[in-house]
Amino acid sequence: MVVWTTKDLLKGLEEFVPVYETRPIKNNMYGMGFDHSFGLWFMARWLKPDLMIESGAFKGHSTWVLRQAMPETRIISLSPRHPEKYLRKGPAYVDANCTYFAGKDFVDFGSVDWGSVLKKHGIADPSRVLAFFDDHQNELKRVKQALKAGFHNLIFEDNYDTGTGDHYSLRQICDQTYITGGGHSCFKDSDEAKIRLKRKKFWKKAVDIDYLCGAGEAWWGVKGFMRDNFNHSNKQISYDEHVQNGRFIESVLDLYWELPPVAGPSLTHQTRYDPARSPDPIIEDGKFGLFQRLGLTRFETAVFNGYTQMVFLQVSVSPAS
């Protein structure tokens, strides 16, 4: 279990709202919205890492969020396109205390010589590093690469539910038939199929059985495929492979915590994610007074429409492995 509580999250929200109002990129379409911005800021502040790494910077909003959380801590940013390129067309953020592996200097997270980079930055203990991924890559691949580098604290921004998304996510990997509530039936007259069809009418990211299930009733990943690299790579995997992937993650997992939505859908008016497939919100439906008191009514509805089950992991390799 994480050491922070719902009370801590509420206190954090109260502090973060005025911070978020000063963001340089007001319209961060295709980037993080309010929920995940808060989650990243809150966890970075709580963990107080000696170094922060982000894989996938886009226009620099997540870099800005990390900087608000830890004003003096060094950041390493990896991104195929340098955020400064976006400055020509509109708001973007470039950080003065950040080492960029971006643009013509881009190096993928898995190809970096982290031992050398950490030494150069004066970091002796890789477990004191926070690695944040918003790069739409296979998360099984990223966990293995992080373990190889000795990193312990990982945050994945887009933790897509089974049947959705452009990459194989932790949520998909951990969705196993041997876990309570895991696994899915492809029988079209099942209760699950009927419920999914009904919920699809309300939530854009809800998945009905026709979309969930592929050939041979393959429901794992996305229709039996392990997606990678913004869905540019799309590998079909067997159910046995999927189970083995889940077993591997379990073997290295010390902690798995999904950020709850900031508030219930009747407050945020979000129409994207299915609340039945997400943790209970920090501010429950019906608590409009609290929602208003924290200043959340000042934001446009659109900033609450980007929730995709951001997840915090702590991983380590056991001595026996």
Side-chain angles (χ1 to χ4, degrees), residues 247-258:
R247 296 288 193 198
F248 169 76
I249 291 296
E250 287 173 15
S251 73
V252 301
L253 197 61
D254 297 326
L255 177 72
Y256 178 102
W257 182 76
E258 287 183 357

Side-chain angles (χ1 to χ4, degrees), residues 255-273:
L255 177 72
Y256 178 102
W257 182 76
E258 287 183 357
L259 173 77
V262 163
S266 73
L267 300 172
T268 61
H269 303 292
Q270 74 82 20
T271 55
R272 194 165 184 256
Y273 71 89

